[in-house]
Amino acid sequence: MADSSVEIIEGCRLPVLRKNQENEDEWPLAEILSVKDIPGRKLYYVHYIDFNKRLDEWVTPDRLDLKKLQFPKKEAKTPTKNGLPGSRPSSPERDVKRKAESVSLATQVTAAIPVPSLPSSAEASQASVYPAMRDSSFSIKSREEHEPLASLTTNGTTRRLIPSQPGRKRKSCGGTDEMVKVFQNNNPRCSTVYLPPGEDSQDSSDGIPSAPRMTGSLVSDRSHDDIVTRMKNIDCIELGRHRLKPWYFSPYPQELTTLPILYLCEFCLKYLKSLKCLQRHLTKCNLRHPPGNEIYRKGTISFFEIDGRKNKTYSQNLCLLAKCFLDHKTLYYDTDPFLFYVMTEYDSKGFHIVGYFSKEKESTEDYNVACILTLPPYQRRGYGKLLIEFSYELSKVEGKTGTPEKPLSDLGLLSYRSYWSQTILEILMNLKSENGERPQITINEISEITSVKKEDVISTLQYLNLINYYKGQYILTLSEDIVEGHERAMQKRHLRIDSKCLHFTPKDWSKRGKW
């Protein structure tokens, strides 16, 4: 397909041949990020537009369709957008950044998108449950019968929900505390909440847009993205008996990026440039498990708690490895304020790392997870949900509710939605009726039982489309399909956390000075 007479430069866009999941040929549009010459031919590093960056790859010229080649626009002239001079053409990355910046101005947005109404978390809505055939329906009734609009608690801030009045403007209070307008329609089933548009659900667990926290060490600052960090720099990593193909850029030393294989000690995660160096290192490395305290063991699965200040080198090496598979977040030097919980699988040779999650020692926003990762060889085997379940088990011991730090990756969002759905459905299906009446439960009680933050409980009920407003009360209806789907999913979920095997004492980090 490639014509040698046409010079392809960085920034060009054109269709590129690739195989899809069904192993069929397809020609998605891709952008050329880099060009390199090797003896005899050129290679092109491409990013498939609207595809995840982990699919980026080096391709040969014969996979390029030059008939539809688009050259990058010159920067000399200021292009226009929507007929407005001085504005640049839209790009997905700028749009994301613009959305985050506009959250603090949410009260100025006049357009609104209707979404199903839910009881506010501070309302502590009362729910009753009744069976219909095999279907189950749950009604949630407000305790304050005479107050159609209740207060809503988000990130520890309680505020009143009041209807907007024509011609009346409300000043922004603290950026993300924007107004939520509630309108009751004549149809009792149709209660509509209007939220400012343009926010992805993964960035707003409670249905209220909130800007990703860019001050935390684990949130990747995308404003400094350049062509180097957009490209994978490690070809292959050998970790124990596995060879891993990295998905994203990771800031390993520059001299290691030219190696065909980067070797890691699977116990201390030290990186080495050759197999001979690794073998020599293994004769001196005494570790057969992650450093730190083993706080959980059941069967071959163990969890180790690692202090980012006491075991700084290990923590930094862990973050460098994790960055190969996490694009949204990064941390490889500032590990002091974090705890790392590493899940391992035991055999005769030692404790082999399966995955991990990190959390802040002190979180002002109720985050119980900062980064979470299951290594690719162990994915799709239930370990991701086990990590999530363990993070909430720690929150239960601490007596807190928790939520993961936003934004979540695409795979992280899927895992959390699945975990929240299964956990909440498990509680609803186990409710028993008393005295022939429908059993009752509140949003607060679900949150306390699971340690899942109220906003995540509400967003999950909304995502599952379980909640309706009927005759003055909220009804949760479990259809036959949802019940059967949940039962099938639980049959496949063999790995569960046993709280009896957890030996964990939470620490009060606020009294420890600099930890």
Side-chain angles (χ1 to χ4, degrees), residues 7 79 133 211 227 410 437:
E7 183 181 2
M133 295 171 48
I227 198 66
D410 54 348
E437 297 182 359

Side-chain angles (χ1 to χ4, degrees), residues 30 38 46 54 65 144 158 163 200 216 229 246 268 305-306 333 409:
I38 60 173
V46 300
R54 62 174 167 267
D65 183 3
E144 300 176 277
T158 303
D200 193 284
T229 60
C268 72
E305 181 185 55
I306 295 152
Y333 53 90
S409 66

Side-chain angles (χ1 to χ4, degrees), residues 295-423:
I295 60 174
Y296 179 91
R297 182 189 293 184
K298 184 176 182 182
T300 59
I301 301 296
S302 293
F303 279 86
F304 291 82
E305 181 185 55
I306 295 152
D307 190 324
R309 183 181 67 83
K310 295 179 180 176
N311 302 103
K312 187 170 292 188
T313 301
Y314 180 90
S315 301
Q316 290 173 346
N317 289 339
L318 176 61
C319 292
L320 283 170
L321 172 62
K323 184 62 187 73
C324 291
F325 307 100
L326 293 173
D327 186 37
H328 289 76
K329 300 175 184 177
T330 178
L331 174 142
Y332 52 92
Y333 53 90
D334 182 20
T335 61
D336 287 21
F338 293 90
L339 294 169
F340 297 83
Y341 295 90
V342 178
M343 179 168 64
T344 63
E345 202 171 48
Y346 175 76
D347 65 15
S348 59
K349 295 183 178 179
F351 294 80
H352 308 280
I353 181 171
V354 170
Y356 89 104
F357 68 89
S358 58
K359 64 185 290 187
E360 293 176 281
K361 293 174 180 176
E362 291 183 277
S363 175
T364 58
E365 301 178 62
D366 296 330
Y367 290 141
N368 64 352
V369 164
C371 281
I372 185 167
L373 171 70
T374 305
L375 291 174
Y378 298 95
Q379 289 178 0
R380 303 188 65 82
R381 290 165 57 181
Y383 289 116
K385 277 200 186 71
L386 198 68
L387 281 166
I388 295 172
E389 186 178 1
F390 189 78
S391 71
Y392 282 108
E393 201 64 43
L394 296 183
S395 295
K396 290 177 186 178
V397 176
E398 293 170 346
K400 301 176 182 177
T401 59
T403 188
E405 187 178 273
K406 311 300 186 302
L408 291 168
S409 66
D410 54 348
L411 298 178
L413 179 62
L414 288 172
S415 297
Y416 267 96
R417 273 183 177 167
S418 177
Y419 173 79
W420 289 333
S421 299
Q422 291 181 10
T423 302

Side-chain angles (χ1 to χ4, degrees), residues 110-121:
T110 56
I113 295 177
V115 295
S117 174
L118 297 174
S120 66
S121 55

